[in-house]
Amino acid sequence: MTPGFPPAFLDGVRLFNSGRFFEAHEAFEELLDDVEADGRWDLLVALIQVAVGYHKLSSGHDGAARMLELGLEKLAAFPDVAWGVDVGALRARVGEDAATLDAHGVAAVRPASGRPRIVVRR
C-alpha cells in the first residue's frame, strides 16, 4: 500500500482552498521532513511553489507567473491523481492562470470567487 500524506496535509489544503496561500505554503513546508523518502516530497514542493505563486498573485508581488510555472513543471511529473490529490485539475488551473498572467497580466486572472482549489479524493 502506498503511504498517504500525514493528517496535517489537509490543514494545508484547507488553507490553500480558503485563499490563505502563504499559510498553506508554510503548512506544506512543515511536512517535507515527513515525506522526503519518496515522491510525496516532490508533490509537496510543487504545491509549495503553486501556493507561493498564488500568494504573490493575490498580494500583487512580482514573480507570481514564475512561481506558478515552476510548480506547474513539477506537477507535470504526476498522474492525474497522486496520493489522493487531484493533480490533473490543479495542473489545468495553474496552467490557465500562468498563461493568462504571461499574456495579459494580473488583472486578467480570475477573481477570488473563482480561486484555485486542491481537491483531495478519499
Side-chain angles (χ1 to χ4, degrees):
M1 178 177 217
T2 305
F5 281 102
F9 175 72
L10 294 177
D11 295 335
V13 170
R14 281 189 284 277
L15 289 165
F16 185 95
N17 290 348
S18 69
R20 297 176 60 196
F21 303 116
F22 182 81
E23 293 87 349
H25 116 272
E26 288 184 327
F28 294 143
E29 277 185 346
E30 289 179 20
L31 300 173
L32 286 172
D33 288 341
D34 296 336
V35 300
E36 72 179 311
D38 60 53
R40 295 175 299 165
W41 190 87
D42 295 318
L43 182 53
L44 273 178
V45 170
L47 295 177
I48 289 165
Q49 289 177 324
V50 167
V52 169
Y54 282 116
H55 167 68
K56 288 179 173 283
L57 177 62
S58 64
S59 301
H61 297 304
D62 291 336
R66 180 68 183 137
M67 289 306 298
L68 291 176
E69 289 165 0
L70 287 171
L72 186 60
E73 288 172 13
K74 287 180 180 61
L75 290 174
F78 295 96
D80 285 345
V81 178
W83 295 283
V85 177
D86 188 341
V87 175
L90 182 62
R91 187 172 40 230
R93 174 60 192 265
V94 173
E96 290 171 15
D97 289 343
T100 300
L101 268 171
D102 283 341
H104 306 290
V106 173
V109 177
R110 298 178 196 179
S113 63
R115 78 173 140 248
R117 296 185 48 80
I118 296 171
V119 175
V120 178
R121 299 180 184 179
R122 293 268 166 190

